[in-house]
Amino acid sequence: MKKSVLVFLSLILFSCGATKEQMVISNEEKQILESTEEQEVAISDEESEYEIIIIEPGFYTWLNSIARPEGYYSQSFLENRNQIYVINWNQRVMNPSVYNPNLYELQINYDPNIDYGYDVNYKLYNYFIFFQRKYNQRLGPFVPRI
């Protein structure tokens, strides 16, 4: 009986340790993440008339040099990830005593039943990846990779 319990416990310990992957950030990306240069990124879709404006130091440069190019991900992939990230983001906005209110200031109104178009989903997804990498946050069960 003791053998099976020890094996079970070691499997639990192994599986817990295996999920704590570290983000690997290159020197080029690190310089961009530490940048103080602000350039506005407008996320909009003319057909659906939705718009998000992001003013975050380094994001414009990161999006155009580090992020995967448009078309790399499918729209359904982006929508699924954005839905998870938005839920976690909004939960953090609502808990300023637990999560840094300087990082999580405003809720994001993202309805999974609305087709925001590829561009909106692509840039929003990449903002979430950028944000997680820059501030060492985890908005979902996945390591924020590029």
Side-chain angles (χ1 to χ4, degrees):
M1 179 86 169
K2 284 185 180 182
K3 271 189 175 180
S4 61
V5 171
L6 290 176
V7 170
F8 179 70
L9 286 176
S10 66
L11 287 174
I12 290 174
L13 292 175
F14 176 74
S15 66
C16 290
T19 60
K20 294 189 179 193
E21 294 181 51
Q22 295 291 330
M23 287 185 285
V24 177
I25 298 177
S26 69
N27 288 334
E28 176 188 10
E29 184 180 9
K30 187 175 181 179
Q31 287 178 330
I32 292 169
L33 294 175
E34 292 173 353
S35 170
T36 57
E37 177 188 332
E38 289 184 6
Q39 190 164 355
E40 182 179 288
V41 174
I43 302 174
S44 62
D45 180 59
E46 291 178 18
E47 288 181 26
S48 63
E49 299 178 8
Y50 290 97
E51 183 176 44
I52 302 169
I53 297 175
I54 297 174
I55 303 171
E56 175 81 36
F59 179 59
Y60 178 84
T61 304
W62 186 90
L63 182 64
N64 292 298
S65 62
I66 303 291
R68 296 280 188 201
E70 286 189 38
Y72 184 84
Y73 303 107
S74 69
Q75 185 169 334
S76 63
F77 171 86
L78 297 171
E79 290 169 342
N80 290 331
R81 290 293 170 98
N82 284 342
Q83 187 176 358
I84 292 167
Y85 291 149
V86 166
I87 289 168
N88 286 302
W89 178 279
N90 288 340
Q91 286 174 345
R92 292 174 185 211
V93 170
M94 299 302 291
N95 290 299
S97 61
V98 177
Y99 298 101
N100 185 342
N102 295 321
L103 291 180
Y104 303 98
E105 295 180 21
L106 301 171
Q107 284 191 334
I108 298 171
N109 184 12
Y110 185 89
D111 184 343
N113 298 313
I114 295 175
D115 180 3
Y116 295 101
Y118 188 87
D119 192 52
V120 170
N121 280 289
Y122 170 77
K123 289 179 180 170
L124 180 60
Y125 169 78
N126 277 295
Y127 177 71
F128 284 131
I129 298 300
F130 170 84
F131 173 85
Q132 291 175 91
R133 295 175 72 79
K134 181 173 183 170
Y135 297 109
N136 196 26
Q137 300 290 301
R138 198 58 91 80
L139 291 172
F142 338 97
V143 174
R145 294 190 185 116
I146 301 172

